[in-house]
Amino acid sequence: MVLKDVSITIKGGEICALIGENGAGKSTLMNILGGVHPMDSGEILISGRKVKFTTPAQSLGAGIAFIHQELNLINDLPIFENMFIGRERKDKWGRLDRTRMYQETEDIFRRMNIDLDPNTMVRDLDASYKQIVEICRAIMMDASVIIMDEPTTSLTEPEIERVFQMMRTLKEQGVGIVFISHKLGEVMEICQRYLVLRDGELVAEGRVEDVTTDDLARCMVGHALEIRASARTRNLGREVLRLEDFTHAQDFRNISLSVREGEILGVTGLLGDGRSALFQTVFGADKSISGRMFLHGAPLRIHSTEQALKLGIGYLPRNRKENGIIKDMNVLENASIVAWPLFAKRGVIDQDRHLELFCCQRKELDITMQDVSDAINTLSGGNQQKVVLAKWLAANPKLLILDNPTQGVDVGAKEEIYAIILKLSEKGMAIVVLSSEAQEIIRLCDRALVMYHGEIQGEVAGAAMTEHDIMRLATGGVLDAV
Amino acid sequence: MQYRGAMQKMQAGKGPKKKNVMKRLMEKRAADSHVGIALVLLLLVVLQTLVLGFDYDSFGHWFNSWFRNWINILRNNAGVGIVSLGMTFVIITGGIDLAVGSTLVATGAVIMTLIDTGAKGVLGAAGMTGVPAYAITIVAALALGYLLGTGIGLLITRGRIAPFIATLGAMKVFRSVTQHFMQGYNPRVPRDFLQISNLQVGGLMFMPIVYWAVIALILYFVSKRTTFGRQVIAVGSNERAAQLSGVNVNRVKTRTYSLMGILVAIASVVQVARIGSMDYANAGSGMEMDAIAAAVVGGTSMAGGRGTILGTVLGMLIIAVMNNLLNLFGVPPFLREAFKGLIVVMAVLLQRKQRA
């Protein structure tokens, strides 16, 4: 069960923030409202009238518009045609009535105080205007409630201000807005009310003026038992990786960090913090960056993942299905693909060695499976993840980057993966764990960097790490000086 | 993948549990082989045999003519057969190569120019004849094929041009340039060179078939056992995952086109040596489609990630027998292409059903 007994009210002429950690149930709740998912029990009332939807179209018809993060506009059509996709205005001959569509668009823009030419191609708009166009489309369909799912994550400061301006205009016109965001500063700025979800329950709600960002951060984490940092004796060796002023135009800026042998460094943050892009760049999967990178003290540039692999860097990607497994290959091949070039003799794969190695790994990682020649997707999520881990362990990297290592893995397998990571670190491997789960970071890491919109917002370390501190940094706050 | 080596080792003395693993591996390999395609081929061969008429009374005589017919079929298809092997790799990575026919005439032109016994012959003018001249010619042809293929590969990977477009362009350029430089020039191929394809053993000409078979065996090994061969599958199946596994995706893709170029050059040598001349305007046109058809009928997925050398050989044989059958049935030449088209579409439909 993702949601339990959640009752919320959205009033017209009000902007209401919906906040919560990743996996708290925000998306599920909004997807129910948006007609994407059905609910098991409960009811939705709009202006006191009971409604039921099973499709997004029905929900839209009832007046609820859901503005998704990935926008639903067609880049190669002008704005006014985008406004009428699927319900184009036609004249009596069935031809498109472009003049009418143009005028109606212009009317909406005037009503909303937006200075845009309806003839502009959507491709030429910046992200904020695209969002505005999408909101206008919702208004045109008489939406009374607009749900905005993290509308500001990919926007710059002036763009955010533009979207806020729009939201204020809507508010004045009596529209109810649900604003889903991780940025508590923005919540304070634009919202009147807040709702906090945690583990599928509504744990707090109230007026924004009565609370501080700190209170909100505490609500999001809850007062559940604090996870203690693992009190392990660390055996730190020499520095393995150091970054200085690592910068990529969109994704991350001015990143400086270092990792040593035997150390587990955590990197965390909320959606859109840029940590995956940062470490995929370290691994050579993306280029076009400025800044310096040092491996074992020597400056270098990594141009390809192949080079990174040979230098002893491993990267376990997030989103196993898209980035981790190769579905047309069997379990053994998925587990050995990384090490093929390392063990090969004149380009011929050393089959025996891979099989032997995997037989050991299978025992060590406790992978439950039938047969090494089975298709990879016959395995459970946790076991697939262990196979992806096994392929990197086969290459025996000096530096292992784990991006969401326990994504889509059940609790039992999670603990097993933690144990493996801790063991690797004891053997002297430098490990970087990227995770959005604060508990995971506290559980595993010796110290952790918290990222906020592509920059390192702060660092927490050792036994002093708390979920509160991490959440405060991840939402753009700062820690009190000690 | 092949596990035979490992299996022998395991059986030689390691635990019984591992032995079981290896046994199951072998069984699975047998199960996912190309039973369906092989059955279709068998059916067509039986049909063909029936049409040719089975003669119980003089079995020896009957078998002799049946066998000769088969040698003919295989020899006629060896060139496209060789090219289709390379096409398999290209298609598995999610690409396509439309330029093979034009690469064939371009390399063919180089062969003819080098080997010409007339006044303009390059090697002849340098006083080089016989086997050394042939060796140089062949090496030069392979080198050119490799260069052209690599060029296409780089255009696709570095230049980020869609394979269809890049090879469509190359197809036009290679053929037109070749035609321009070879117009009004009729080289003579030395008779000994023709032995490469026309050597007779026991009254049978089967050298092209031998080349095709040897290359197929080598590439079978390459696809199953080498880093390159397996990385091709990985790249075709999930390019991003392959890249994040340390695979140099661009290099793997480029190499498939380089390999394609070399194989086309070999096909070119075989063809020049078979007929002793080359029609630069028409030779190899439509070859790309036949090669693609063979790969697709053999189970290669145009979406990438799936395909085998064995499948492509079987696919080529199906198309070859089909051609022979249409001939035997007396189907008018213009209609034969229609049947070819139907086979390709049907093969894909059947495979889709099998998978579902």
Side-chain angles (χ1 to χ4, degrees):
Chain A
M1 199 147 44
V2 187
L3 289 171
K4 284 163 263 175
D5 280 332
V6 176
S7 301
I8 61 168
T9 320
I10 312 294
K11 296 188 195 117
E14 168 185 82
I15 303 175
C16 180
L18 180 65
I19 56 180
E21 284 185 292
N22 298 333
K26 299 179 305 248
S27 313
T28 312
L29 179 58
M30 290 305 123
N31 278 330
I32 289 172
L33 274 184
V36 182
H37 293 325
M39 58 185 164
D40 299 326
S41 63
E43 52 188 21
I44 303 169
L45 299 145
I46 293 177
S47 313
R49 200 163 40 83
K50 205 172 146 186
V51 285
K52 234 189 172 138
F53 352 99
T54 46
T55 65
Q58 285 174 357
S59 143
L60 194 58
I64 299 179
F66 195 166
I67 313 288
H68 292 268
Q69 252 178 317
E70 55 287 354
L71 299 169
N72 292 311
L73 296 176
I74 295 167
N75 272 328
D76 295 313
L77 286 179
I79 293 175
F80 75 92
E81 287 197 50
N82 260 291
M83 299 284 284
F84 292 91
I85 296 283
R87 25 176 220 107
E88 291 83 357
R89 299 277 186 263
K90 291 180 185 151
D91 64 13
K92 60 182 171 188
W93 304 106
R95 293 176 305 187
L96 283 183
D97 193 342
R98 295 167 64 94
T99 342
R100 198 164 134 220
M101 294 198 288
Y102 185 94
Q103 258 155 15
E104 283 184 38
T105 307
E106 216 171 22
D107 290 345
I108 287 278
F109 283 178
R110 202 171 306 128
R111 215 173 93 202
M112 292 286 132
N113 292 325
I114 295 157
D115 186 25
L116 261 185
D117 177 4
N119 250 330
T120 318
M121 290 305 250
V122 165
R123 179 176 299 290
D124 301 328
L125 298 176
D126 72 28
S128 66
Y129 277 120
K130 283 185 187 173
Q131 232 163 99
I132 286 170
V133 168
E134 190 135 12
I135 295 168
C136 287
R137 184 159 70 177
I139 295 299
M140 188 175 265
M141 291 186 257
D142 292 322
S144 53
V145 177
I146 295 181
I147 302 164
M148 301 176 74
D149 189 7
E150 307 208 31
T152 58
T153 33
S154 52
L155 303 187
T156 60
E157 281 302 325
E159 290 175 346
I160 290 172
E161 195 39 54
R162 205 173 297 140
V163 172
F164 281 2
Q165 199 54 48
M166 171 94 185
M167 288 167 69
R168 288 190 192 103
T169 316
L170 286 172
K171 188 184 79 176
E172 278 154 28
Q173 298 188 354
V175 177
I177 298 177
V178 180
F179 179 70
I180 304 177
S181 180
H182 283 312
K183 300 194 206 165
L184 297 181
E186 293 180 355
V187 168
M188 302 306 284
E189 184 188 339
I190 188 93
C191 300
Q192 285 78 55
R193 235 154 39 86
Y194 67 88
L195 300 165
V196 185
L197 279 182
R198 192 198 318 138
D199 300 329
E201 287 179 85
L202 186 68
V203 291
E205 62 175 310
R207 300 199 59 78
V208 167
E209 57 199 28
D210 301 335
V211 290
T212 63
T213 48
D214 250 22
D215 296 335
L216 290 180
R218 199 166 303 134
C219 276
M220 284 165 75
V221 176
H223 302 280
L225 204 87
E226 284 284 311
I227 303 257
R228 296 303 306 180
S230 54
R232 62 194 192 98
T233 45
R234 291 177 297 156
N235 216 342
L236 294 192
R238 284 163 303 157
E239 177 187 87
V240 177
L241 171 77
R242 186 165 86 241
L243 302 181
E244 284 176 7
D245 287 328
F246 233 51
T247 297
H248 178 279
Q250 293 111 44
D251 294 332
F252 49 83
R253 289 167 298 281
N254 307 323
I255 304 290
S256 300
L257 58 84
S258 82
V259 199
R260 298 165 68 180
E261 285 171 356
E263 185 180 35
I264 305 181
L265 173 72
V267 179
T268 183
L270 297 166
L271 207 74
D273 59 2
R275 65 187 128 94
S276 279
L278 168 63
F279 281 95
Q280 287 186 3
T281 306
V282 169
F283 183 58
D286 289 299
K287 289 168 209 166
S288 75
I289 38 125
S290 65
R292 289 173 302 282
M293 172 171 171
F294 301 85
L295 201 65
H296 302 289
L300 74 142
R301 263 272 144 96
I302 294 189
H303 301 286
S304 68
T305 55
E306 186 191 32
Q307 186 196 357
L309 165 64
K310 289 198 173 130
L311 287 166
I313 303 176
Y315 174 75
L316 179 114
R318 62 163 57 192
N319 296 343
R320 180 175 56 243
K321 216 165 150 192
E322 291 91 62
N323 303 329
I325 59 168
I326 291 165
K327 67 169 176 15
D328 289 316
M329 302 201 310
N330 64 32
V331 174
L332 176 61
E333 290 188 290
N334 266 287
S336 48
I337 174 169
V338 167
W340 285 341
L342 303 178
F343 298 168
K345 293 184 195 93
R346 277 194 232 97
V348 178
I349 293 172
D350 190 341
Q351 201 59 67
D352 304 3
R353 192 159 162 195
H354 286 295
L355 189 66
E356 246 166 76
L357 182 65
F358 185 66
C359 283
C360 295
Q361 286 183 326
R362 192 174 156 183
K363 235 171 270 154
E364 211 170 306
L365 304 181
D366 198 18
I367 302 172
T368 315
M369 49 173 270
Q370 289 287 311
D371 198 302
V372 293
S373 66
D374 284 339
I376 182 73
N377 42 24
T378 58
L379 269 57
S380 74
N383 285 308
Q384 284 183 22
Q385 189 70 3
K386 286 184 195 167
V387 170
V388 179
L389 187 59
K391 83 176 173 185
W392 277 109
L393 299 185
N396 199 18
K398 303 271 187 312
L399 168 68
L400 184 57
I401 301 158
L402 303 160
D403 195 349
N404 269 0
T406 59
Q407 185 180 30
V409 162
D410 63 62
V411 186
K414 226 175 202 178
E415 285 304 318
E416 288 171 24
I417 289 175
Y418 290 161
I420 295 163
I421 295 173
L422 290 168
K423 208 155 105 193
L424 289 172
S425 153
E426 267 161 40
K427 286 184 191 157
M429 198 182 279
I431 295 175
V432 178
V433 176
L434 314 186
S435 175
S436 49
E437 288 177 46
Q439 300 190 352
E440 186 162 287
I441 293 288
I442 294 172
R443 173 74 212 280
L444 277 175
C445 302
D446 304 318
R447 63 194 174 88
L449 304 170
V450 184
M451 289 181 68
Y452 175 71
H453 283 259
E455 288 186 60
I456 294 178
Q457 184 77 6
E459 179 174 336
V460 288
M465 278 194 270
T466 64
E467 284 185 71
H468 289 171
D469 287 350
I470 290 176
M471 188 54 72
R472 206 184 304 173
L473 290 168
T475 49
V478 285
L479 294 185
D480 311 323
V482 184
Chain B
M1 275 204 186
Q2 247 181 2
Y3 297 97
R4 198 169 302 128
M7 187 175 174
Q8 283 160 357
K9 201 165 152 193
M10 300 293 162
Q11 282 173 337
K14 290 197 177 167
K17 206 178 161 196
K18 274 189 186 169
K19 213 172 178 176
N20 271 338
V21 171
M22 294 317 299
K23 205 173 155 197
R24 266 180 288 148
L25 270 176
M26 297 303 284
E27 281 164 9
K28 187 139 307 157
R29 269 182 49 69
D32 74 6
S33 64
H34 308 78
V35 181
I37 315 171
L39 275 176
V40 171
L41 179 61
L42 191 71
L43 218 84
L44 286 171
V45 172
V46 169
L47 190 65
Q48 179 214 28
T49 311
L50 289 177
V51 172
L52 277 175
F54 191 77
D55 191 351
Y56 290 97
D57 300 332
S58 52
F59 178 79
H61 186 73
W62 170 83
F63 182 77
N64 198 18
S65 68
W66 184 86
F67 185 69
R68 276 172 187 280
N69 181 40
W70 260 100
I71 292 287
N72 272 332
I73 295 175
L74 292 176
R75 194 182 56 220
N76 288 338
N77 286 285
V80 182
I82 291 169
V83 172
S84 69
L85 299 173
M87 193 65 85
T88 307
F89 284 95
V90 170
I91 295 178
I92 291 175
T93 65
I96 198 160
D97 191 343
L98 302 178
V100 288
S102 303
T103 310
L104 184 90
V105 291
T107 46
V110 167
I111 297 169
M112 305 283 271
T113 317
L114 287 174
I115 208 106
D116 183 16
T117 51
K120 281 193 192 164
V122 174
L123 290 179
M128 206 179 278
T129 52
V131 176
Y134 304 160
I136 290 176
T137 305
I138 292 171
V139 169
L142 297 190
L144 180 69
Y146 172 80
L147 284 178
L148 294 179
T150 308
I152 291 173
L154 290 175
L155 211 57
I156 290 166
T157 54
R158 291 287 158 85
R160 295 181 187 283
I161 298 175
F164 191 97
I165 306 296
T167 56
L168 185 68
M171 167 175 148
K172 297 288 174 201
V173 172
F174 295 171
R175 190 181 293 274
S176 114
V177 170
T178 307
Q179 276 181 281
H180 174 76
F181 282 108
M182 298 304 283
Q183 62 184 337
Y185 175 35
N186 288 311
R188 279 195 305 271
V189 176
R191 188 157 290 174
D192 289 344
F193 189 77
L194 299 182
Q195 292 294 313
I196 291 175
S197 289
N198 296 329
L199 181 73
Q200 293 204 12
V201 179
L204 291 167
M205 286 191 287
F206 56 73
M207 287 317 282
I209 307 173
V210 173
Y211 303 139
W212 180 17
V214 169
I215 292 168
L217 278 175
I218 293 172
L219 291 181
Y220 178 82
F221 178 83
V222 166
S223 77
K224 294 287 176 190
R225 294 293 304 272
T226 65
T227 311
F228 166 72
R230 299 320 291 172
Q231 285 183 344
V232 163
I233 303 268
V235 167
S237 176
N238 188 340
E239 191 171 322
R240 184 69 179 164
Q243 190 204 10
L244 290 175
S245 300
V247 175
N248 191 331
V249 172
N250 279 351
R251 190 186 326 128
V252 169
K253 281 188 178 174
T254 308
R255 278 188 182 172
T256 61
Y257 292 93
S258 309
L259 174 66
M260 183 84 252
I262 293 175
L263 292 177
V264 171
I266 293 173
S268 187
V269 171
V270 171
Q271 176 145 343
V272 169
R274 209 156 76 84
I275 48 182
S277 68
M278 188 167 255
D279 171 3
Y280 302 108
N282 297 312
S285 72
M287 185 184 230
E288 67 285 345
M289 287 306 157
D290 289 343
I292 293 167
V296 168
V297 169
T300 306
S301 157
M302 291 297 285
R306 236 185 258 128
T308 60
I309 291 298
L310 179 59
T312 299
V313 170
L314 292 174
M316 193 67 235
L317 291 179
I318 287 179
I319 291 175
V321 180
M322 224 24 224
N323 267 334
N324 186 238
L325 267 175
L326 294 174
N327 206 358
L328 293 174
F329 278 131
V331 176
F334 283 126
L335 268 182
R336 282 182 207 161
E337 288 295 309
F339 277 94
K340 261 200 228 171
L342 284 176
I343 302 169
V344 174
V345 174
M346 257 160 41
V348 174
L349 274 179
L350 277 175
Q351 283 160 15
R352 178 134 329 138
K353 255 191 199 141
Q354 246 176 15
R355 250 170 233 144

